[in-house]
Amino acid sequence: AQSVTQPDIHITVSEGASLELRCNYSYGATPYLFWYVQSPGQGLQLLLKYFSGDTLVQGIKGFEAEFKRSQSSFNLRKPSVHWSDAAEYFCAVGATGYSTLTFGKGTMLLVSP
Amino acid sequence: NAGVTQTPKFQVLKTGQSMTLQCAQDMNHEYMSWYRQDPGMGLRLIHYSVGAGITDQGEVPNGYNVSRSTTEDFPLRLLSAAPSQTSVYFCASSYRGADYNEQFFGPGTRLTVL
């Protein structure tokens, strides 16, 4: 069975600074990887996804993520954080042939002025 | 397209009460799923369905029942609510086919069990 680990429960970043949120997955085959963002009291918004091909994927709101098979990682990055990026971020993995996702426990991003 | 819709948005129950959380999609998706979200736990799969008449258990199925009589609807039933079922519930759907398909999430139902 697949699993996802997000090592950081909370991260605080200054506005304008760069951001990297970590995600490690466990899955025996090629994974399908996702990052979602959730603002307080809101639903899930898909930031980006990796299915195959280029290991650096671009998403919405200026986010990108890099798939590194050797490290079983799919870290999310943004070069300059805005106060509106404060939210909870979830990494998720989907397995071939299945219709469901396994989520990490989330990382709460706080943005300081 | 309305996408994935969920009703109600908010619900308060007393312990032992029953209720059904509704989920519907108008995209003709074969796959539908229910997740619950709890603080510090991420989203966990409750039940899922790969088509009308076919359902299966996820990671945390206890206390929940599902059925799938139509492609469009996938209701989640709580037969006897418990405080441990206080959570935010998300329904999702996706196409069947190919290796994997992106899931579309509903807006969620926030349930409190007293």
Side-chain angles (χ1 to χ4, degrees), chain A residues 32 38 49 99-101, chain B residues 31 35 37 99-100 102-103:
Chain A
Y32 299 88
Q38 185 181 37
K49 60 190 177 187
S99 57
T100 59
L101 289 168
Chain B
Y31 291 164
Y35 298 83
Q37 183 182 21
D99 288 333
Y100 192 84
E102 177 185 340
Q103 296 214 359

Side-chain angles (χ1 to χ4, degrees), chain A residues 32 34 36 38 43-44 46 49 51 90 94-101 103-105, chain B residues 31 33 35 37 40-43 45 48 50 90 94 99-103 105 107 110:
Chain A
Y32 299 88
F34 305 81
Y36 288 86
Q38 185 181 37
L44 295 168
L46 180 66
K49 60 190 177 187
F51 280 16
F90 294 96
T96 301
Y98 289 85
S99 57
T100 59
L101 289 168
F103 284 84
K105 294 185 177 181
Chain B
Y31 291 164
S33 309
Y35 298 83
Q37 183 182 21
M41 298 299 293
L43 280 78
L45 182 66
Y48 65 99
V50 299
F90 288 99
S94 67
D99 288 333
Y100 192 84
N101 292 288
E102 177 185 340
Q103 296 214 359
F105 283 87
R110 187 174 296 272

Side-chain angles (χ1 to χ4, degrees), chain A residues 47-79:
Chain A
L47 283 176
L48 47 78
K49 60 190 177 187
Y50 172 78
F51 280 16
S52 65
D54 194 348
T55 56
L56 184 63
V57 294
Q58 302 296 322
I60 62 172
K61 304 185 178 185
F63 286 93
E64 66 177 27
E66 186 171 11
F67 170 58
K68 293 185 177 180
R69 185 188 300 276
S70 61
Q71 298 178 18
S72 297
S73 69
F74 189 57
N75 294 349
L76 182 71
R77 301 193 294 246
K78 187 171 185 179

Side-chain angles (χ1 to χ4, degrees), chain A residues 2-98:
Chain A
Q2 60 269 30
S3 65
V4 176
T5 300
Q6 293 180 247
D8 303 304
I9 298 175
H10 297 97
I11 281 186
T12 300
V13 176
S14 298
E15 189 168 16
S18 63
L19 169 70
E20 183 170 29
L21 301 183
R22 295 182 292 164
C23 172
N24 293 99
Y25 69 90
S26 173
Y27 182 60
T30 299
Y32 299 88
L33 296 162
F34 305 81
W35 275 99
Y36 288 86
V37 61
Q38 185 181 37
S39 297
Q42 301 300 309
L44 295 168
Q45 182 179 25
L46 180 66
L47 283 176
L48 47 78
K49 60 190 177 187
Y50 172 78
F51 280 16
S52 65
D54 194 348
T55 56
L56 184 63
V57 294
Q58 302 296 322
I60 62 172
K61 304 185 178 185
F63 286 93
E64 66 177 27
E66 186 171 11
F67 170 58
K68 293 185 177 180
R69 185 188 300 276
S70 61
Q71 298 178 18
S72 297
S73 69
F74 189 57
N75 294 349
L76 182 71
R77 301 193 294 246
K78 187 171 185 179
S80 178
V81 169
H82 188 264
W83 64 266
S84 61
D85 293 324
E88 191 161 22
Y89 291 79
F90 294 96
C91 181
V93 62
T96 301
Y98 289 85

